[in-house]
Amino acid sequence: MARSQSGSPAHGNLDRMSRALAHTLVVAILAALLAVAFWRSGYEFQWEGVWAYRQKFVTGWLTTVAMSLASLVLSALVGLVTAVGLRSRWTLVEAAARVYVELIRGTPLLVQLLIGFYVVANAVGLENRYVVGALVLALFSGAYMAEIFRGGLAAIPAGQRDAARAIGLTPWQSLRLVILPQAIRLVLPAVAGQLVSLIKDSSLLSVIAVSEFTLAAQEVNSFTYSTLESYLPLAAGYLLLTLPLSALSRWLERSFAYEAG
Amino acid sequence: MELVVKGLTQAYGKTTVLDRLDLVTGDIRALVLVGPSGGGKTTLLRILAGLDLPIEGSVSFAGKTLPRDEPGLLAYRRHVGTVFQAYNLFPHLSALDNLTLPLVHVHGLSPAAALERVAEPLERFKLAEHAHKRPSQLSGGQKQRIAILRALATKPERLFLDEPTSALDPEMTAEVLEMIGELKDLGTRFVLVTHEMGFARRVADEVAFVGGGKVVASGPASTMFEKCPEPRVREFFARILP
Ligand SMILES: Nc1ncnc2c1ncn2[C@@H]1O[C@H](COP(=O)(O)OP(=O)(O)OP(=O)(O)O)[C@@H](O)[C@H]1O
Ligand SMILES: [Mg+2]
């Protein structure tokens, strides 16, 4: 951040180019090492069997994208409400928000999915495993989002609230017009990072038989007995989503870095 | 504004900051609060501005007592303006949007009417060319003058200014003080906390010396600066005035 601001534009370009070169070099070395490892293992790749199931991969990948996005939107809402709850003056509200965050962050998603699907959803008569999956994932991610938002809200100087009150804004207007627009800029990079986690975590949806990307690979593997040919595309498919998001997160961090005034 | 403060008490945790403070002024336009650091000036001003509720005591301006409940205080704050030492402009909005936000969202003006309302003061105080900049692109003096305009644009009954120049270098201090002086000539009423004694003397109708959570002495500026019977006040000015 400081680097790209202090240097001249030309300097910044050079900086970016040398970084891109360094990345490429590291990736090339890793790829070479992997290739050697595969060659020495004597593994014979059989892509034909897996290729026949390519449609399954595509559908699974799209399901993963859709489930992750739906969960992200829901978890942003959950996280925002919880973050406001965490900062509440009312002890009961604060306690409820705190208990939710700690319970979720202290237990494995696997357990939450199983309990959510086989116990809670069953009890309330919710049968659609995609809906249940998205809800559990949203509640899971919401606890992390709550901490991200809480940090963002806490980072807004007290003077901003004072000024909002001084000009006669109601507490809700102050949140909507003054605090949130600033806090959202602050937390966007972390939210993009959370989406990366969410995408990877969504692979656990396979345990409640949601036909997402990971389940697709598992099924193809059991049909073809070609383990690596089933799981290598899985890794590539996740990277295809997560790498651009990481880049976006870094870019957001740079572009929203303006001084407070 | 005739200000009457009776038995005002405020505490942060266990520390008493204002201790049964009393203050009565005549029907004046400008009251300046002076006194040692930590004496309670900011605490008093925040209560006068309706930002904080005191533990005890009452405040009235021109016979109207300040409400003691948050909805009442919110309504009160909409009729007064406050200027802070650190400007507290909204950094995500342009200077212009900082000015129009209260007009549109609190006072119900249309965006066009709000723009029209602020155009003349921006022009008068030579800020029009900076109106589209973000606060981070303005100098300290420009920021504070925009903050003063934000407080004024809603046509408040009076302004409260807490050390508006103490974060500024001498040149910018001069431009902000000049603006406040001009506002006084235009008829704006205000309560000002400042350490700029020369300016205080020029602009104040009355001066109150706040120290140890009480008003040690108060009265017309000339009396206070030249022949205050309180030794503490005389010592303070002797130390601070050249
Ligand atoms: N939010 C707070 N929490 C705890 N103590 C506070 C708080 N605000 C002020 N105080 C204390 O109250 C006392 C009075 O502070 P105040 O800010 O009113 O003084 P002041 O006269 O404005 O001083 P200065 O000239 O330095 O601005 C000080 O001792 C200060 O430490
Ligand atoms: Mg102060």
Side-chain angles (χ1 to χ4, degrees), chain B residues 27-196:
Chain B
D27 184 10
I28 53 170
R29 295 228 304 268
L31 170 67
V32 173
L33 304 177
V34 299
S37 181
K41 302 181 296 295
T42 296
T43 308
L44 172 60
L45 196 78
R46 287 181 62 91
I47 295 171
L48 299 183
L51 286 168
D52 289 338
L53 262 179
I55 294 175
E56 255 177 83
S58 68
V59 174
S60 72
F61 280 98
K64 273 194 259 174
T65 305
L66 253 65
R68 293 217 49 125
D69 57 317
E70 184 50 34
L73 279 180
L74 176 66
Y76 170 75
R77 289 195 296 267
R78 291 177 170 174
H79 296 289
V80 298
T82 302
V83 175
F84 301 91
Q85 177 180 349
Y87 334 122
N88 297 1
L89 290 176
F90 304 131
H92 60 299
L93 300 177
S94 69
L96 191 62
D97 290 340
N98 266 276
L99 298 184
T100 56
L101 183 132
L103 294 174
V104 171
H105 291 278
V106 177
H107 297 270
L109 270 71
S110 70
L115 283 178
E116 206 182 307
R117 167 88 67 97
V118 301
E120 192 271 332
L122 277 172
E123 209 55 65
R124 177 199 295 267
F125 294 104
K126 301 187 179 57
L127 289 162
E129 57 176 309
H130 306 296
H132 292 281
K133 292 183 185 168
R134 287 271 177 88
S136 60
Q137 298 164 308
L138 297 173
S139 76
Q142 291 164 346
K143 275 190 262 208
Q144 194 57 295
R145 286 184 296 143
I146 290 287
I148 293 173
L149 283 192
R150 178 174 69 181
L152 269 180
T154 56
K155 303 190 173 154
E157 288 164 20
R158 71 193 81 87
L159 281 187
F160 299 96
L161 306 104
D162 190 3
E163 303 197 35
T165 60
S166 61
L168 302 174
D169 64 29
E171 200 180 326
M172 295 181 192
T173 295
E175 74 189 29
V176 169
L177 293 183
E178 192 186 321
M179 177 177 184
I180 297 171
E182 207 175 327
L183 291 174
K184 167 142 200 227
D185 297 339
L186 290 170
T188 307
R189 290 159 206 281
F190 57 85
V191 179
L192 165 73
V193 177
T194 187
H195 290 292
E196 299 286 335

Side-chain angles (χ1 to χ4, degrees), chain A residues 185-205:
Chain A
R185 281 170 171 80
L186 283 178
V187 302
L188 265 184
V191 168
Q194 179 59 25
L195 182 55
V196 170
S197 303
L198 196 55
I199 287 167
K200 288 183 297 171
D201 292 334
S202 72
S203 68
L204 272 177
L205 290 173

